[in-house]
Amino acid sequence: MSRASLHALRHPPVTAPSEPAGAPSDFPELSVAIDRERRRGRGAQSNASGRYEAEARVAFDDGWQSLDELPPFKTTVAVDTSRKVITRNDSPDIGFDRSINPYRGCEHGCVYCFARPTHAYLGLSPGLDFESKLFAKPEAPVLLEKELAAPGYEPRMIAIGTNTDPYQPIERERKIMRGILEVLERAGHPVGIVTKSALVVRDIDILARMAKRNLAKVAISVTTLDPKLARTMEPRASTPPKRLEALRQLSDAGIPTTVMVAPVIPALNDSEIERILDAAAHAGVKEASYVLLRLPLEVRDLFREWLMANYPDRYRHVFTLIRDMRGGRDYDAKWGERMKGTGPMAWTIGRRFEIASDRLGLNKRRSKLTTDHFARPKRDGEQLSLF
């Protein structure tokens, strides 16, 4: 098999009905969309093999109705046995240098999720596998306490939810995130949380106590106020009204809250920027941010498939605008530009966001967390200090 053919099997997007004007046609004529009944309640349309796999498997109807016998995609959870829980980064355009992900994969199924390609490192598909084959880290609280107790550890804000959502549905039973918060509260360690789930209000008791000491803040992503678009694009995340209500409850409890208009997708939800900010401000939010749609690696093809399946009339226009904001490409990962994009359209989105934020009194003051309360946890067998 040729290298081109092998690549087509590993990354087989559906055929585009209409490419943006002037764009190269790089779609093989191979449809890999999984039957709707098998992926009911999921975001991705397909389950192409990961980019590191030596083999690729494609569901093929041989005429004997064998595809009818395939079971629907069900959520399974395996145990992640990582020995460390804090992940470090040195990215110059994000405001934290360490993070925690209690889970790998995310059942929310947001089709645009930039974390999807990480499932390829596990030998799984960034498509349906990402939202159905999950990995939990039940030892995360214990591992975290050990890392915080290390003699050379220097405290700085830990970000949680920057890759996969810590409050996705399986957190209801597993409560790994709550265990992590309990460790951080005891240690007096600052934490910043990003989520799409109203489940975060379950932990208001811990977060409110931490917020009184400037140790916690929460950001909730509100992508759209349109329930139909939200259900299609983020099938198992909390509904927009639930997220706004969560922002209100967090704010009422004295916890610094941020609304994230993320991602902004041109010609799909960019018209809602002002309405989302207005709704969040009425819920008591004082800070806001936005992020432009990012399409790294497999996310590009997954988003294309989803867009053609649900909004085929907008496909051409959406990708024309995306390329206008990404230097003529589907995605540009350049530091300082990957979050906001470039060009007239990106500039317009930025100015609209700033004008609306100013009008609503958002971002007048930024909440700052402190490390002044940090107390290193005692290690097993460690002698207590006399002073």
Side-chain angles (χ1 to χ4, degrees):
M1 181 179 294
S2 69
R3 180 175 299 179
S5 298
L6 184 59
H7 177 82
L9 284 174
R10 288 179 181 174
H11 310 277
V14 297
T15 305
S18 57
E19 282 277 52
S25 179
D26 55 357
F27 287 89
E29 293 188 4
L30 177 64
S31 175
V32 294
I34 303 297
D35 180 74
R36 184 179 297 274
E37 289 302 313
R38 290 192 63 213
R39 55 179 171 82
R40 180 180 294 275
R42 305 292 181 179
Q45 310 291 305
S46 63
N47 205 40
S49 301
R51 61 188 178 281
Y52 299 117
E53 300 309 294
E55 297 179 349
R57 292 176 173 82
V58 176
F60 175 74
D61 188 354
D62 58 6
W64 294 98
Q65 289 77 46
S66 56
L67 292 182
D68 296 341
E69 302 170 4
L70 295 175
F73 283 82
K74 293 184 177 181
T75 300
T76 61
V77 185
V79 174
D80 185 309
T81 57
S82 300
R83 296 183 179 181
K84 291 189 176 182
V85 71
I86 298 178
T87 301
R88 308 279 181 156
N89 79 84
D90 58 0
S91 301
D93 59 352
I94 55 178
F96 58 89
D97 68 351
R98 64 200 68 183
S99 60
I100 295 175
N101 290 291
Y103 304 101
R104 303 184 73 170
C106 185
E107 196 176 6
H108 282 166
C110 304
V111 69
Y112 52 74
C113 181
F114 64 85
R116 284 181 176 274
T118 61
H119 242 45
Y121 296 119
L122 305 174
L124 298 171
S125 172
L128 290 165
D129 281 349
F130 176 79
E131 49 194 287
S132 61
K133 294 184 178 180
L134 311 179
F135 296 81
K137 301 177 183 179
E139 295 300 311
V142 175
L143 294 172
L144 174 60
E145 195 156 30
K146 289 181 179 178
E147 291 182 55
L148 298 183
Y153 181 80
E154 294 293 333
R156 291 186 65 182
M157 185 194 76
I158 288 178
I160 306 181
T162 57
N163 198 43
T164 56
D165 203 308
Y167 287 105
Q168 58 181 287
I170 59 174
E171 168 64 15
R172 291 186 182 277
E173 291 76 34
R174 299 191 176 253
K175 299 182 179 179
I176 299 174
M177 180 60 182
R178 186 170 178 86
I180 289 173
L181 288 179
E182 290 170 345
V183 171
L184 294 174
E185 183 185 18
R186 288 196 300 269
H189 197 293
V191 62
I193 300 169
V194 179
T195 183
K196 285 187 177 71
S197 175
L199 180 58
V200 66
V201 301
R202 179 200 65 186
D203 295 335
I204 278 183
D205 56 337
I206 299 177
L207 293 170
R209 292 194 300 266
M210 294 182 73
K212 287 182 179 179
R213 298 193 290 162
N214 293 324
L215 292 175
K217 60 182 180 180
V218 178
I220 295 183
S221 172
V222 181
T223 316
T224 178
L225 299 179
D226 180 346
K228 180 181 178 182
L229 176 58
R231 183 170 180 81
T232 306
M233 190 164 57
E234 309 161 334
R236 300 197 180 190
S238 296
T239 63
K242 288 286 188 181
R243 294 185 222 181
L244 291 171
E245 175 60 19
L247 285 170
R248 186 192 64 77
Q249 291 186 41
L250 291 166
S251 298
D252 289 349
I255 301 163
T257 54
T258 299
V259 62
M260 297 180 64
V261 187
V264 175
I265 306 172
L268 198 62
N269 73 339
D270 64 307
S271 62
E272 297 187 70
I273 292 174
E274 291 82 0
R275 290 197 297 127
I276 292 172
L277 292 176
D278 185 69
H282 279 82
V285 172
K286 301 300 182 184
E287 299 180 37
S289 65
Y290 79 96
V291 179
L292 194 65
L293 175 69
R294 298 166 57 190
L295 298 175
L297 301 171
E298 292 93 342
V299 183
R300 181 198 70 167
D301 291 342
L302 291 167
F303 181 73
R304 280 177 163 174
E305 294 171 6
W306 174 87
L307 194 58
M308 288 186 285
N310 294 280
Y311 297 93
D313 56 323
R314 303 193 197 185
Y315 171 82
R316 185 177 187 131
H317 188 40
V318 169
F319 267 91
T320 295
L321 294 175
I322 287 174
R323 288 167 178 166
D324 285 346
M325 294 188 288
R326 296 297 188 186
R329 297 182 291 273
D330 293 330
Y331 181 55
D332 184 359
K334 188 182 300 180
W335 301 126
E337 296 181 2
R338 57 182 181 154
M339 305 294 187
K340 307 298 183 185
T342 59
M345 183 66 180
W347 182 89
T348 300
I349 287 174
R351 299 300 76 74
R352 285 175 52 202
F353 175 85
E354 291 176 357
I355 292 170
S357 296
D358 288 343
R359 174 175 56 82
L360 295 166
L362 300 174
N363 297 331
K364 296 298 183 183
R365 185 173 60 89
R366 295 284 188 176
S367 59
K368 292 185 179 181
L369 304 184
T370 181
T371 59
D372 293 346
H373 304 293
F374 180 67
R376 197 180 314 278
K378 299 298 181 183
R379 292 180 294 171
D380 292 340
E382 182 178 359
Q383 184 176 354
L384 296 178
S385 173
L386 296 176
F387 304 99

